[in-house]
Structure formats: structure tokens, C-alpha cells
Amino acid sequence: QVQLVESGGGLVQPGGSLRLSCAASGTIFRINAMGWYRQAPGKERELVASITSGGSTNYVDSVKGRFTISRDNAKNTVYLQMNSLKPEDTAVYYCSARIIVDTERIYWGKGTLVTVSS
């Protein structure tokens, strides 16, 4: 059974930094694209950043220049380095991955809370 487990969330002051990690475990043939989504209170879930198996990245405009997504394929792990955090970045952050076990499907983590506040 495949699981995605996020870590690294917490409380940080505006202008601060956090690094989120998400590790995939289980019987995995291959991991294709991986990504980070977030959902703020009263808002819909949005894609923050994604990365292909080859390392190509994509970001939502609001985080460009502040967030960096990366992955370690040997560890089945994706990271999100978040710098210059703003109060509007406060949300639950979810990891997602397209994983092939026998066929490809999308898996989700349970989420980690990031709170940006003074």
C-alpha cells in the first residue's frame, strides 16, 4: 500500500522560511509527477508547485521567486523550500504524486499546517 507522509509544517513569522518534505513509501514501480497543493480556510485547494520525474518545475504566480520545489528520486521524496513567507501563505499543504504500482493513479498525503503569523 502506497503512502505519502508530509513533514515540516509549523508556525513561522512573516519573512521566515520553512522546508516541507513528503516521502512516498510502499510497493512503488515508478513515481511520475509530484506536487504540492494548499488549502486556506474558506478557499479551494490550489496547486502551488509541481515537478516532473525529469525535474521540470511549475509554480503558481503567487509563489514564484519565493518557493522552490525539488525531489530526490532515490528517496522517493519531494521537498518545498518556502522563503519570504507571507500571512497569505497560511494553509494546509498537501503532497500529491502520480505513482505507478500496476497502473498510474494519484496519491495524496494527509497534509501539514503552515501558519505565517507574528
Side-chain angles (χ1 to χ4, degrees), residues 29-103:
F29 177 70
R30 186 170 68 236
I31 301 178
N32 290 328
M34 305 183 82
W36 288 95
Y37 290 72
R38 66 185 179 188
Q39 187 165 19
K43 294 188 177 182
E44 294 187 353
R45 190 175 297 190
E46 67 169 348
L47 175 63
V48 176
S50 63
I51 184 167
T52 66
S53 57
S56 296
T57 59
N58 185 57
Y59 299 91
V60 68
D61 286 346
S62 60
V63 308
K64 285 181 179 177
R66 300 189 298 122
F67 291 9
T68 302
I69 189 171
S70 61
R71 63 190 286 173
D72 184 333
N73 292 329
K75 295 182 178 179
N76 290 340
T77 299
V78 63
Y79 306 96
L80 187 67
Q81 178 66 44
M82 305 184 293
N83 299 328
S84 303
L85 282 160
K86 304 176 181 180
E88 51 264 43
D89 295 317
T90 296
V92 178
Y93 284 71
Y94 298 91
C95 171
S96 176
R98 292 182 174 271
I99 297 175
I100 299 176
V101 177
D102 47 4
T103 60

Side-chain angles (χ1 to χ4, degrees), residues 3-15:
Q3 285 189 315
L4 297 179
V5 179
E6 301 104 334
S7 61
L11 173 64
V12 63
Q13 292 187 342

